[in-house]
């Protein structure tokens, strides 16, 4: 972290010709289990990871908000009273969208000073590790401090989600920002997406000699277009036909009736969400009673459900999962929204390099692009550095 903090200060100085008042950061996330359940008011179990987005910030004498980053050639700027989702474009929609969204959550944007922001990150972009929620959450905690808004982390997660939904235009749920804001070292965030109540669950991976291996397939995905929104619409249609507010209200016992009244595709979308909610509850119970070596089957079953019922996997993700399973992983599944991105495998420490080699080999054999594999640990959520 020392390097990136130095870099972000240097980047701020070269962009703005002065120093920042502080540095804030937020992590990417891995979802251990509970996929496409968040916007169905269900359960999720993500954890924050040891890859972070770092933000340097300094207040201004006027009302401009300016953002620059290592990723963009040009600085983006807008006056606070001009902030509106439809005016925000490209990567700067993430940080500027958060400034706008804070206004929607009560910040008086006419009373706060403008700011200069500089952003750097070690969260890989497009890998399904929520690099976007990391930017939103880092900017949210920074502005919350500098503007002295006093919003709590769960509210800041909703601010980030609003920015993502309206300014970026991706109809995503509350999971990613919650993980980035509420995460704790060695713990997962068990979140009820209906009540927004959360509990930290001890993962115990290190004690059990386990590592979490990320297999980034390199297959790009974009939740602002296409499949993600379609899946969400199917779930909402299923809930309407079943006469419930959301699929959270459908239990395993209701699936027999659901099969009678829904068309086949909608039924399978519903079955994924309903069984996935149960798998999250089971995973929390098993982690607490037996420890992490016992959750493998639940991870594997989650992948099968996403592959066959929700149909959001791609051949590269299936190959990554199958290869990890065949080479000693305790369990494996795709993670995140799907249609590309990354898989996770829970692996005994001594077996990590064997799986990495096997995955490289399998991808080459299938003529797929080279994947990137690396381990992550559960880290602390967003805050001032
Ligand atoms: C993306 C979204 C989340 C969640 C997952 C699927 O990461 O941002 O809100 O819906 O997909 O579980």
């Amino acid at each position: 972290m020392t390097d990136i903090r130095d870099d972000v200060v240097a980047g701020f100085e070269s962009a703005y010709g002065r120093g920042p008042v502080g540095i804030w950061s937020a992590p990417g996330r891995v979802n251990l289990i509970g996929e496409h359940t968040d916007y169905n008011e269900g359960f999720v179990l993500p954890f924050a990871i040891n890859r972070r987005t770092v933000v340097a910030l300094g207040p201004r004498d006027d009302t401009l908000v300016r953002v620059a980053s290592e990723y963009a050639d040009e600085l983006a700027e807008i006056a606070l009273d001009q902030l509106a989702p439809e005016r925000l474009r490209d990567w700067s929609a993430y940080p500027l969208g958060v400034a706008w969204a804070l206004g929607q959550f009560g910040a008086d944007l006419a009373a706060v000073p403008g700011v200069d922001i500089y952003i750097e990150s070690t969260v890989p972009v497009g890998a399904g590790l929520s690099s976007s929620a990391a930017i939103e959450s880092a900017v949210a905690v920074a502005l919350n401090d500098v503007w002295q808004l006093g919003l709590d982390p769960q509210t800041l997660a909703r601010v980030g989600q609003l920015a993502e939904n309206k300014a970026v235009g991706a109809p995503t749920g509350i999971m990613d920002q919650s993980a980035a804001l509420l995460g704790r070292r060695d713990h997962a965030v068990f979140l009820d997406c209906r009540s927004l109540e959360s509990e930290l669950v001890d993962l115990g991976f290190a004690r059990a000699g386990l590592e979490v291996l990320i297999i980034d397939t390199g297959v790009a995905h974009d939740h602002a277009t296409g499949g993600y929104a379609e899946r969400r619409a199917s779930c909402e249609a299923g809930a309407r036909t079943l006469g419930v507010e959301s699929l959270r209200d459908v239990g395993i016992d209701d699936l027999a009736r659901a099969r009678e009244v829904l068309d086949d595709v909608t039924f399978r979308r519903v079955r994924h969400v309903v069984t996935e909610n149960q798998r999250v509850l089971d995973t929390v119970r098993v982690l607490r009673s037996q420890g992490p070596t016992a959750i493998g089957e639940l991870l594997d079953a989650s992948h099968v459900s996403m592959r066959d019922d929700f149909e959001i996997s791609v051949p590269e993700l299936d190959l990554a999962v199958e290869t990890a399973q065949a080479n000693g992983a305790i369990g494996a599944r795709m993670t995140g929204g799907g249609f590309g991105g990354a898989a996770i495998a829970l692996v005994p420490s001594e077996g990590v390099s064997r799986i990495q080699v096997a995955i490289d080999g399998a991808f080459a054999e299938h003529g797929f692009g080279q994947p990137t594999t690396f381990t992550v640990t559960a880290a602390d959520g967003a805050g001032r550095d």
Side-chain angles (χ1 to χ4, degrees):
M1 280 300 289
T2 321
D3 287 356
I4 188 171
R5 282 205 212 106
D6 292 345
D7 290 351
V8 85
V9 171
F12 186 99
E13 285 167 354
S14 91
Y16 303 116
R18 63 185 179 115
V21 292
I23 298 172
W24 292 259
S25 70
R29 68 97 186 90
V30 157
N31 189 16
L32 186 59
I33 196 160
E35 224 65 85
H36 287 262
T37 46
D38 60 355
Y39 55 78
N40 289 300
E41 301 194 336
F43 302 104
V44 292
L45 192 63
F47 60 89
I49 59 173
N50 54 332
R51 298 279 190 125
R52 298 182 85 84
T53 294
V54 184
V55 161
L57 189 148
R60 297 174 54 85
D61 297 333
D62 59 18
T63 65
L64 281 183
V65 182
R66 300 198 292 175
V67 285
S69 125
E70 60 176 331
Y71 297 119
D73 298 334
E74 279 178 28
L75 189 140
E77 69 170 52
I78 189 165
L80 280 165
D81 64 359
Q82 296 298 305
L83 280 169
E86 61 280 4
R87 291 215 180 90
L88 307 178
R89 245 168 227 99
D90 307 324
W91 76 276
S92 67
Y94 296 94
L96 296 176
V98 167
W100 165 78
L102 284 167
Q104 303 298 301
F105 276 83
D108 181 359
L109 296 185
V112 295
V115 286
D116 288 333
I117 300 173
Y118 192 85
I119 302 172
E120 293 219 3
S121 185
T122 59
V123 186
V125 173
L129 301 179
S130 291
S131 55
S132 55
I135 297 179
E136 290 150 5
S137 303
V139 171
V141 286
L143 290 176
N144 189 45
D145 275 0
V146 168
W147 287 345
Q148 299 181 5
L149 302 175
L151 299 173
D152 62 39
Q154 189 61 65
T155 305
L156 294 178
R158 290 166 62 207
V159 166
Q161 184 195 12
L162 186 66
E164 180 93 28
N165 292 168
K166 301 293 184 210
V168 180
T172 50
I174 189 74
M175 169 169 73
D176 305 339
Q177 293 82 5
S178 299
L181 280 145
L182 303 172
R184 171 101 58 87
R185 192 190 166 107
D186 296 329
H187 289 72
V189 179
F190 172 36
L191 177 70
D192 178 338
C193 301
R194 170 166 274 176
S195 67
L196 295 186
E197 275 167 24
S198 63
E199 279 172 46
L200 293 168
V201 178
D202 186 1
L203 287 166
F205 290 155
R207 282 195 309 280
L210 297 176
E211 300 260 14
V212 176
L213 181 67
I214 305 294
I215 306 143
D216 177 4
T217 61
V219 179
H221 66 285
D222 175 4
H223 298 326
T225 54
Y228 185 96
E230 239 171 67
R231 293 303 181 280
R232 185 169 180 156
S234 288
C235 293
E236 286 162 3
R240 262 196 312 278
T241 309
L242 293 170
V244 291
E245 194 187 311
S246 77
L247 294 184
R248 164 64 175 274
D249 300 313
V250 182
I252 303 274
D253 295 345
D254 301 320
L255 285 175
R257 187 181 80 86
R259 189 194 283 276
E260 282 166 20
V261 297
L262 299 172
D263 64 83
D264 174 60
V265 170
T266 311
F267 171 69
R268 287 186 291 115
R269 305 297 188 248
V270 168
R271 182 167 60 185
H272 164 71
V273 173
V274 172
T275 57
E276 185 79 350
N277 273 331
Q278 188 58 48
R279 281 186 289 271
V280 175
L281 299 176
D282 291 346
T283 302
V284 170
R285 186 175 40 77
V286 170
L287 275 172
R288 285 174 170 159
S289 59
Q290 300 171 57
T293 45
I295 66 170
E297 279 176 23
L298 289 160
L299 302 182
D300 295 347
S302 171
H303 186 77
V304 169
S305 180
M306 287 188 283
R307 186 191 63 199
D308 298 345
D309 273 356
F310 219 59
E311 296 181 284
I312 53 171
S313 190
V314 294
E316 288 85 347
L317 286 168
D318 292 338
L319 183 66
V321 166
E322 283 155 24
T323 308
Q325 288 163 339
N327 285 276
I330 282 179
R333 60 186 286 278
M334 53 146 283
T335 186
F339 306 101
I344 56 168
L346 192 56
V347 180
S349 307
E350 65 281 3
V352 170
S353 51
R354 172 173 163 202
I355 292 183
Q356 288 178 301
V357 170
I359 285 173
D360 281 347
F363 271 60
E365 205 176 295
H366 283 73
F368 294 160
Q370 203 184 343
T372 311
T373 56
F374 53 94
T375 58
V376 292
T377 56
D380 285 330
R384 187 167 189 156
D385 284 50

